[in-house]
Amino acid sequence: MVLFSLVATHADIDLETVAQLSNGSSGLASAALTGSPVVSGAVVLATCNRYEIYGETANGADVEAARSALVSQISELSGLNEQLVSKSFSTHAGPDVTRHLFAVSAGLDSAVVGEREIAGQVRRALITAQQEGTASSGLVRLFQAASKTAKDVGAQTALGSRGLSIVSVALDLATDLSDNDDWSTKKVVVFGTGAYAGATMSLLRERGCTDVSVYSSSGRAEGFVATRGGTALDADSLPAAVAAADVMIGCSGSDTRVEAADLRKVRAGSGKPLIAIDLALTHDFDPAVGELDGVELLTLESVRLAAPQEQAESLSQASAIVSDAATAFESEREARSVDSAIVALRRHTMNVLDSEMEKVRARHGCTAAAEEVEFALRRMVKQLLHIPTVRARELAAKGQQEDYVAALEALYGIEVEQPQAAPAAAECPVDHQQLRSESA
């Protein structure tokens, strides 16, 4: 089985295009399995900075066909033409898939290097795929290993102690822009009740901010503030809260956004500055908000440009951990890939032995002599299989497992059947579809 991925990130295309590509992302994995016979597994990782699809096929020759099918499905779901979709994604295959995902999960490929949020997003992507039945066993092992690598980077390097995130950098920027850096005096309105909103509430508390109101267009604010604190807003109380706010933070990405004209009307006569932080990939705030008098608009692009550079030593340590983990994973994967061939050779050999023993028993019966012959033959077969088994592991470690399979077919006529990658059971009862909907 061969792993591959389609990758579109902030490093290669603008965030608007990332947002447009990811429209309909929740249905892509299932569509990939039902729409293309060459795709045996799929996991979708969609965040504010990236849209990545991880898949598995029977062999390397199928990767291009799988890519074409996915591009067509993404085009249909997002409404973008296939040429633009195809151009937006780079394709990884084999060991490159492992190295990239491990680096992503560890936060090394993020706009905020070392961010802690991406590791959780990688875990939730796997949980969703498991619940939907689209995660092949190979992809499950890949994502589990990526999560373990992220934990190792966090525990063994300074990246983990920094605790950086997109939200924390955005709040740092807001502090720099504000005349008063004391968050305990600020009135904040948060839009959304999803993962980013939860992280925002936590960081606001850490900074001493207690006057926080929360609005959700889906009506989930009451339940959200019940466990996190703050005041729930509805459509009637929202305008007054925005009028009095020092900071408003968009984390929902819902279809309802704050328009510049509406904000101007609500804030008329307020007289105090407003900092608007838009962390939603599809924008909670009209970009024209930043042109209003007294309003400073911060976006994901602002955060990316302002993200601090990590120390070279920390990055070097983290990169080494990721590289070693990726190498170890690939070695284990290659060794596992010859398991079917080893089993096939042993089965073939034992079938020959059993056939010969039937002839011995037919002539001599179940006598002591027959038992001695069987004992001797089984010892001989075990010794004969030892070197071919060792060589199989050695060739797999060098990436030459296909040579071994070809040799078995040429010498013994053994056809090695690759096992079908069955979806793994979910490890956690988290309803990720609900998590996604709660971002509204």
Side-chain angles (χ1 to χ4, degrees):
M1 305 298 285
V2 176
L3 299 177
F4 70 94
S5 62
L6 273 62
V7 175
T9 77
H10 64 93
D12 303 312
I13 60 177
D14 62 272
L15 294 176
E16 290 288 347
T17 303
V18 173
Q20 292 171 353
L21 289 168
S22 61
N23 284 335
S25 60
S26 60
L28 179 61
S30 297
L33 265 64
T34 57
S36 175
V38 298
V39 179
S40 57
V43 178
V44 175
L45 175 62
T47 76
C48 62
N49 287 316
R50 66 185 66 252
Y51 185 34
E52 303 184 356
I53 302 94
Y54 291 80
E56 189 168 18
T57 64
N59 54 69
D62 291 333
V63 171
E64 186 56 39
R67 184 189 195 279
S68 296
L70 283 167
V71 166
S72 178
Q73 288 158 348
I74 293 169
S75 173
E76 182 177 348
L77 290 169
S78 67
L80 300 175
N81 67 70
E82 287 194 21
Q83 184 176 5
L84 174 60
V85 172
S86 181
K87 185 173 63 175
S88 298
F89 285 96
S90 59
T91 306
H92 297 169
D96 288 343
V97 176
T98 302
R99 285 192 290 268
H100 177 74
L101 180 60
F102 283 20
V104 167
S105 187
L108 300 186
D109 193 58
S110 297
V112 177
V113 175
E115 65 152 315
R116 60 191 179 189
E117 291 155 349
I118 184 63
Q121 291 166 332
V122 169
R123 288 194 299 272
R124 290 193 293 271
L126 174 59
I127 290 170
T128 299
Q130 288 177 305
Q131 291 180 332
E132 294 177 352
T134 65
S136 63
S137 57
L139 288 171
V140 170
R141 286 192 292 269
L142 174 70
F143 272 71
Q144 288 176 340
S147 293
K148 181 181 182 302
T149 301
K151 290 181 181 178
D152 291 342
V153 168
Q156 300 175 32
T157 73
L159 292 182
S161 62
R162 288 292 299 275
L164 289 176
S165 68
I166 289 174
V167 177
S168 69
V169 174
L171 295 182
D172 287 343
L173 275 175
T175 301
D176 293 339
L177 290 172
S178 178
D179 294 333
N180 177 12
D181 61 4
D182 184 0
W183 281 88
S184 67
T185 65
K186 298 184 185 302
K187 296 179 183 292
V188 179
V189 175
V190 174
F191 291 77
T193 55
Y196 269 141
T200 299
M201 296 292 284
S202 177
L203 288 172
L204 286 172
R205 282 196 305 270
E206 289 179 13
R207 294 170 188 243
C209 184
T210 58
D211 193 343
V212 182
S213 301
V214 179
Y215 174 75
S216 170
S217 60
S218 57
R220 295 190 177 93
E222 285 283 358
F224 181 81
V225 301
T227 57
R228 296 172 176 83
T231 302
L233 299 174
D234 57 22
D236 293 331
S237 57
L238 177 62
V242 170
D246 300 291
V247 179
M248 62 180 191
I249 305 173
C251 308
S252 73
S254 66
D255 294 335
T256 304
R257 71 174 184 175
V258 177
E259 299 295 337
D262 295 333
L263 184 61
R264 181 190 297 111
K265 185 183 301 183
V266 167
R267 298 281 298 184
S270 171
K272 64 178 181 178
L274 173 69
I275 298 176
I277 305 174
D278 195 347
L279 300 180
L281 187 58
T282 52
H283 294 312
D284 277 340
F285 309 143
D286 177 2
V289 160
E291 301 173 9
L292 299 178
D293 291 338
V295 178
E296 290 281 357
L297 177 63
L298 300 177
T299 64
L300 287 169
E301 184 64 16
S302 307
V303 173
R304 186 181 71 83
L305 294 174
Q309 295 295 316
E310 291 296 325
Q311 293 181 354
E313 182 179 359
S314 297
L315 283 177
S316 178
Q317 291 173 344
S319 297
I321 292 172
V322 167
S323 179
D324 291 346
T327 299
F329 179 84
E330 283 301 316
S331 295
E332 180 183 353
R333 175 178 167 80
E334 288 167 353
R336 188 183 293 111
S337 68
V338 295
D339 285 351
S340 297
I342 293 172
V343 169
L345 175 59
R346 288 180 176 175
R347 184 185 298 115
H348 170 81
T349 307
M350 296 308 295
N351 286 340
V352 172
L353 184 149
D354 290 341
S355 177
E356 292 302 313
M357 282 307 305
E358 286 180 6
K359 296 176 183 177
V360 170
R361 293 189 188 97
R363 176 174 297 184
H364 300 286
C366 296
T367 62
E371 291 180 357
E372 289 181 6
V373 169
E374 181 174 3
F375 179 75
L377 286 176
R378 290 192 182 280
R379 284 189 62 186
M380 182 183 69
V381 167
K382 183 177 180 180
Q383 292 177 355
L384 287 174
L385 287 175
H386 175 69
I387 291 179
T389 299
V390 171
R391 288 295 292 153
R393 303 295 187 196
E394 292 174 347
L395 288 170
K398 298 176 182 177
Q400 297 177 278
Q401 56 268 31
E402 292 183 1
D403 293 344
Y404 186 84
V405 172
L408 291 184
E409 293 179 354
L411 293 174
Y412 299 105
I414 298 174
E415 293 186 3
V416 179
E417 295 182 1
Q418 293 296 326
Q420 295 298 314
E427 295 181 338
C428 175
V430 174
D431 186 346
H432 192 252
Q433 183 65 37
Q434 182 180 355
L435 287 177
R436 187 182 298 113
S437 66
E438 285 183 354
S439 66

